[in-house]
Amino acid sequence: MNQTKSQASDVTTTRTTPHRGAAELVSEHGRTTIADTVVAKIAGMAAREVSGVYALGAGMSRALGAVRERLTGGAGTASTQGVEVEVGERQAAADLDVIVEYGVSIPDLAAGVRRNVIDAVENMCGLEVTEVNISVDDLHLPGEEAAEPQEARVR
């Protein structure tokens, strides 16, 4: 943050370093904070928009997430599944666990996911994205469907 004091008046001006989609999160009128979960949801949605991404999250976390979602009715957990973020005052970083469709070029997919996540977070939040780390945890094969958790036979 650059602060300059005007010689003509005693007013302090706060500026952020401009970047694509820059928004002033700290100004003379106040501070805007963005929760980690908000950035995680944006990153997750942006990653899922890329063709070739089958799902986010490692196998066990996806299974546990599906069970938790059914038990609690929590739709919010699915949108952040497989997404970890760190959010500062002006910057954010994301780690994504991705399951890729068979036949898709993984380097091309990773570049597309990275580009989409950076664009979405920077444009919607005004945060500079310093890194997007992608871990390809599994490959979805044609005809292979995600195992749905079985309902209990006894109630």
Side-chain angles (χ1 to χ4, degrees):
M1 165 171 75
N2 298 330
Q3 290 191 348
T4 58
K5 196 159 194 163
S6 172
Q7 292 177 343
S9 66
D10 289 332
V11 176
T12 302
T13 307
T14 306
R15 295 183 302 240
T16 58
T17 306
H19 61 276
R20 188 172 28 143
E24 201 162 303
L25 296 175
V26 179
S27 73
E28 62 209 32
H29 300 290
R31 174 185 309 266
T32 302
T33 50
I34 301 170
D36 291 7
T37 55
V38 172
V39 177
K41 285 181 181 183
I42 292 168
M45 294 299 295
R48 285 179 182 87
E49 289 174 353
V50 177
S51 180
V53 172
Y54 176 73
L56 295 180
M60 185 53 87
S61 72
R62 283 187 20 244
L64 290 174
V67 170
R68 182 174 46 243
E69 191 173 327
R70 280 189 175 197
L71 292 175
T72 64
T77 57
S79 59
T80 59
Q81 183 177 314
V83 181
E84 295 283 329
V85 297
E86 289 182 45
V87 180
E89 281 190 18
R90 292 189 180 83
Q91 296 179 327
D95 296 326
L96 305 171
D97 293 323
V98 179
I99 297 171
V100 177
E101 293 280 356
Y102 175 78
V104 173
S105 167
I106 293 173
D108 291 345
L109 177 85
V113 167
R114 212 171 261 114
R115 184 174 41 254
N116 215 36
V117 168
I118 290 170
D119 287 347
V121 171
E122 287 186 351
N123 290 328
M124 292 180 74
C125 300
L127 296 167
E128 175 190 7
V129 178
T130 58
E131 61 184 28
V132 176
N133 298 311
I134 299 169
S135 175
V136 177
D137 292 323
D138 202 356
L139 188 66
H140 179 258
L141 301 174
E144 178 181 78
E145 294 305 315
E148 289 293 320
Q150 299 291 325
E151 283 192 39
R153 296 188 315 170
V154 179
R155 290 184 190 228

